Amino acid sequence: MQADIIFFNGEVVTVDEAFSIKKAVAIKGNRILATCTNEEVAQFQGKHTQLIDLQGRSLLPGFIDAHAHLELFGTNYLDVNCKEVSGIDDIIKKLSNRVPLTSKGEWIRGWGYNQNALGRHLTRWDLDQVSTEHPIIVVRTCGHLSCVNSKALEMAGITHNTPDPSGGKYGRENGELTGVLLESAHMNFFLQAMHSEEQIQTGLKIASEHFLKHGITSVHDAGGYGPSHIRSLQKAVSSKAIQQRVYTLYGSLHESGKMVEKGLASGIVTGLGDEWFKIGPAKVFIDGSSSGPTAKTREPYSSNPDDSGILYLQQDELDQSLIESHRKGWQITAHAIGDQAVEMMLRTIERGLADTPINHHRHRIEHAAMTPSDLLERMGSLKVIPIPNPAFLYEFGDGYVQDYGDRTQIMFPLKDFVENNIPFAIGSDSPITDVNPLLGIYAAVTRHSKSGNVIGNEQGISIQDAIKAYTLSGAYASFEENEKGSIESGKLADFVILNESILTCKPDRLKEVSVDLTMINGEIVFSNQKEGVL
Ligand SMILES: [Zn+2]
């Protein structure tokens, strides 16, 4: 058999059972033909075989981002970046630049603000300085909170007399609305500020291109708003605006319970689709965000003894949404950050399995950010797959020390997962953090925050374990480990070539490593075109 392409002289990190390192890979069509030595690969060389010298660089299975929001990531590029700003005045200035470009009554949207960096939350009075004729929304960096101006509140019919929605709050000061929307108040409100389908398709294409540059060949999409989001994704995958393979979590950022009910009623189950687009687990939201902080914790926050977070769903509602899904053959998952939320999900899974035992359910917990030893044990015995986001430690780690104190030792406890044989798959939760998998791997290994503090020093893992969590374990979390996630004969030719050897790279430099080439289905979909790459 003659190969179409042969890569040789490399550090081929196969992520096979023995984690073996090879020198060469041969590709035929969309499949891997063989992984072997430089000498052995010669037998696959024919007249038309393309030869690529890796010059010692790493070739890895394509990264699988097990939790990212493609639509939010992409549409952010159409909106105003309020993350990289010098202060509130700067936000007002940047938003104001959009006023002459936006017709009256149309939305001006911003994203990424963080009150910890700004000194305080934005208010509607800040945003009214930008415009009182355009509705304006600026979403916080966590995606769970936002601030809107007076025009937006007026258009939504929200006044100081409007009661708080369940699972959320309107910010108030002396009885007046401040414009800040928390959790479900934000999620419900955002429906009014939705992008058009055309903008969404543009956004998805932008997101896909960025993800390709970072070597991501499969994405578990963690959701947008309602069924229209899943339609948009499917459309973008068919038109190749999204070039990755997509496993879509079946949920919604608002009213997630209702969305799951609709999925159940439709008769579909997890696994519907093909190797490009597949329906994943039914997903609901249990609590808030780690950095808000609005996560539901057993003990109050170290930064505020009167606060222990927000619950979107009570235990009986959670059971109702997910146990029926489990019975019907769905994989199930939930957004759970605080230890109380993680425990609620474990309880639901226990009840589901007691009701209807299923062996290879592969139920997941998105984030599972705070996992003390008792929950770790239950997770292990139930064979639940946590989907942690180590890059959060880099992005938000310093705030975690203030909000959670010593509990940072059990936050994203990757070492505990490894030692307890709990298969975990890493997600970036992008756009909440940078999508770059090398940043996620760096954070998983070093536990460094942006300022260089080590967050939970006992929980660092090896580069090898981090790579596995970003490749094979992601495939396992979507029931696709026989098709992808490692470089083995017969598997799909999805992989990434880095600009150096990752296994000999010093941990502190991991986030500097970049991608030279990304291949999906045997086709080169990204190449940095530097001389000598090919
Ligand atoms: Zn998410």
PDB file of all heavy atoms in Angstrom, residues 67 69 222 283 367 429, ligand 1:
ATOM      1  N   HIS A  67     -14.760  21.377  25.780  1.00  0.00           N
ATOM      2  CA  HIS A  67     -15.793  22.316  26.225  1.00  0.00           C
ATOM      3  C   HIS A  67     -15.429  23.711  25.732  1.00  0.00           C
ATOM      4  O   HIS A  67     -14.539  24.369  26.280  1.00  0.00           O
ATOM      5  CB  HIS A  67     -15.906  22.305  27.763  1.00  0.00           C
ATOM      6  CG  HIS A  67     -16.998  23.185  28.301  1.00  0.00           C
ATOM      7  ND1 HIS A  67     -18.043  22.695  29.056  1.00  0.00           N
ATOM      8  CD2 HIS A  67     -17.224  24.518  28.206  1.00  0.00           C
ATOM      9  CE1 HIS A  67     -18.853  23.683  29.395  1.00  0.00           C
ATOM     10  NE2 HIS A  67     -18.374  24.809  28.890  1.00  0.00           N
ATOM     11  N   HIS A  69     -17.260  27.318  23.459  1.00  0.00           N
ATOM     12  CA  HIS A  69     -18.481  27.924  22.909  1.00  0.00           C
ATOM     13  C   HIS A  69     -18.121  28.612  21.596  1.00  0.00           C
ATOM     14  O   HIS A  69     -17.707  29.771  21.588  1.00  0.00           O
ATOM     15  CB  HIS A  69     -19.054  28.935  23.899  1.00  0.00           C
ATOM     16  CG  HIS A  69     -19.416  28.345  25.226  1.00  0.00           C
ATOM     17  ND1 HIS A  69     -20.679  27.909  25.540  1.00  0.00           N
ATOM     18  CD2 HIS A  69     -18.667  28.099  26.330  1.00  0.00           C
ATOM     19  CE1 HIS A  69     -20.708  27.432  26.770  1.00  0.00           C
ATOM     20  NE2 HIS A  69     -19.490  27.533  27.274  1.00  0.00           N
ATOM     21  N   ALA A 222     -20.223  23.693  23.804  1.00  0.00           N
ATOM     22  CA  ALA A 222     -20.937  23.691  25.086  1.00  0.00           C
ATOM     23  C   ALA A 222     -22.191  24.553  25.074  1.00  0.00           C
ATOM     24  O   ALA A 222     -22.813  24.751  26.103  1.00  0.00           O
ATOM     25  CB  ALA A 222     -20.002  24.125  26.206  1.00  0.00           C
ATOM     26  N   LYS A 283     -27.540  18.653  28.518  1.00  0.00           N
ATOM     27  CA  LYS A 283     -26.790  19.479  29.473  1.00  0.00           C
ATOM     28  C   LYS A 283     -27.677  20.519  30.147  1.00  0.00           C
ATOM     29  O   LYS A 283     -28.423  21.232  29.473  1.00  0.00           O
ATOM     30  CB  LYS A 283     -25.657  20.209  28.744  1.00  0.00           C
ATOM     31  CG  LYS A 283     -24.851  21.122  29.654  1.00  0.00           C
ATOM     32  CD  LYS A 283     -24.114  22.201  28.868  1.00  0.00           C
ATOM     33  CE  LYS A 283     -23.358  23.132  29.809  1.00  0.00           C
ATOM     34  NZ  LYS A 283     -22.966  24.394  29.177  1.00  0.00           N
ATOM     35  N   HIS A 367     -16.772  21.250  33.950  1.00  0.00           N
ATOM     36  CA  HIS A 367     -15.955  22.029  34.894  1.00  0.00           C
ATOM     37  C   HIS A 367     -15.571  21.221  36.131  1.00  0.00           C
ATOM     38  O   HIS A 367     -14.411  21.077  36.412  1.00  0.00           O
ATOM     39  CB  HIS A 367     -16.630  23.345  35.306  1.00  0.00           C
ATOM     40  CG  HIS A 367     -17.203  24.102  34.157  1.00  0.00           C
ATOM     41  ND1 HIS A 367     -16.428  24.594  33.143  1.00  0.00           N
ATOM     42  CD2 HIS A 367     -18.489  24.410  33.816  1.00  0.00           C
ATOM     43  CE1 HIS A 367     -17.196  25.196  32.237  1.00  0.00           C
ATOM     44  NE2 HIS A 367     -18.459  25.091  32.617  1.00  0.00           N
ATOM     45  N   ASP A 429     -13.211  26.171  27.658  1.00  0.00           N
ATOM     46  CA  ASP A 429     -14.359  27.029  27.923  1.00  0.00           C
ATOM     47  C   ASP A 429     -14.209  28.366  27.206  1.00  0.00           C
ATOM     48  O   ASP A 429     -14.786  29.368  27.601  1.00  0.00           O
ATOM     49  CB  ASP A 429     -14.606  27.257  29.420  1.00  0.00           C
ATOM     50  CG  ASP A 429     -16.068  27.609  29.709  1.00  0.00           C
ATOM     51  OD1 ASP A 429     -16.916  27.466  28.812  1.00  0.00           O
ATOM     52  OD2 ASP A 429     -16.362  28.059  30.834  1.00  0.00           O
TER      53      ASP A 429
HETATM   54 ZN    ZN B   1     -19.022  26.846  29.227  1.00  0.00          ZN
END
